[in-house]
Structure formats: C-alpha cells, structure tokens
Amino acid sequence: MSRIGRLIALIVALGWPAAAAAQCTVGSTGVSFGSYDVFAAPPRDSTGSVSYQCLAPLSIQITLSPGSAATFAPRKMVKGAERLNYNFYVDAGRSLIWGDGAGGTSFYSATVSVFQVGTTVNVTVFGRIPPRQDVSAGTYSDTVTATINF
C-alpha cells in the first residue's frame, strides 16, 4: 500500500480532524411564487433550494427563520402595511413546516458520509401560499434566513 493509501485508510478509521469538519460551502435558490390570483381555489405552490458541500463526514442541520413574521405559522410576505400568508415546508406534501424545531416545526438534518464528501447536496424548500387571501395587487416579499449547523 502506498503512503497515500495508508493515510486515507487511517483517516477513515480514525475520523476526520475537527478542523476539517468546518469546511462546508453553502448556497441557495430563492422561492419565487410568481403571480398570485386572489380568486383561484388551489393554493399557489413553488420550490427553491438550499445546497451544501462538505469536505469531511459530519452531521448537518438546516433551519429557517420565520422571516418578517413573529411565528412560523404563518409566515408573512409584506407589501407596505399589507400581509400575504405563506409558508415553507420540509416535505413535498407540505405538511411539515420548516422552522427551527420550536413550536411544532421541523428542520432538515442529514449525515454527510465519507462517500458524499465533496458532493453538492441540493435540499428542496417547498413553498405554499394559501388560496383566496384578500390582498391588493403588487409585489410582496419576505426574507427568510437559512442557518446551517454542522
């Protein structure tokens, strides 16, 4: 076995040093709902993503802030004094609100294995605006912070 082969086997057997565990890069793609029709019966759904790539095996958690709302349910997009309720979910069925684990919310967690080191992982953020909210036309927005703990 070459010197490099022994080093790799030793690292895998003993685990990565703590300094290597802090080597992750992150990114995101925002959720854009497009046009919202206040008279439409179905909800308005869309998706975005949070991505990460780590250079060492480790556990990772991704939490989302409530944005401009005081709570996670519902989050609120803002246009002046007007509010448009919406939310983000961990699951495609949009039943588990993505938050920080408080108040019945869920968050994303995973373990980056030695085989996933250096691979970009894209995590889908599922968004939904409930139907038939009485709001005026215009641009509504909110800023939600994704926190990635590893």
Side-chain angles (χ1 to χ4, degrees):
M1 183 182 289
S2 71
R3 178 177 254 170
I4 294 173
R6 280 187 282 232
L7 178 60
I8 292 172
L10 181 63
I11 290 172
V12 171
L14 298 178
W16 290 88
Q23 297 178 5
C24 293
T25 56
V26 298
S28 65
T29 302
V31 178
S32 176
F33 290 99
S35 296
Y36 174 73
D37 181 352
V38 298
F39 300 109
R44 181 77 174 152
D45 292 344
S46 189
T47 60
S49 67
V50 177
S51 62
Y52 61 90
Q53 181 185 70
C54 298
L55 300 178
L58 49 83
S59 294
I60 192 165
Q61 290 182 338
I62 303 173
T63 61
L64 299 181
S65 74
S68 63
T71 65
F72 292 103
R75 286 182 168 93
K76 299 181 183 291
M77 287 186 272
V78 178
K79 182 191 97 176
E82 290 189 80
R83 305 289 182 259
L84 179 62
N85 296 336
Y86 78 101
N87 228 320
F88 291 143
Y89 302 87
V90 176
D91 61 318
R94 292 171 172 83
S95 62
L96 301 171
I97 294 172
W98 195 334
D100 61 5
T105 64
S106 298
F107 55 87
Y108 173 86
S109 64
T111 300
V112 177
S113 75
V114 69
F115 303 107
Q116 295 171 312
V117 169
T119 302
T120 299
V121 177
N122 290 304
V123 181
T124 302
V125 178
F126 299 94
R128 172 170 282 172
I129 301 174
R132 300 189 179 188
Q133 297 182 60
D134 187 15
V135 293
S136 66
T139 301
Y140 291 78
S141 65
D142 193 10
T143 300
V144 172
T145 303
T147 303
I148 301 180
N149 297 304
F150 51 88

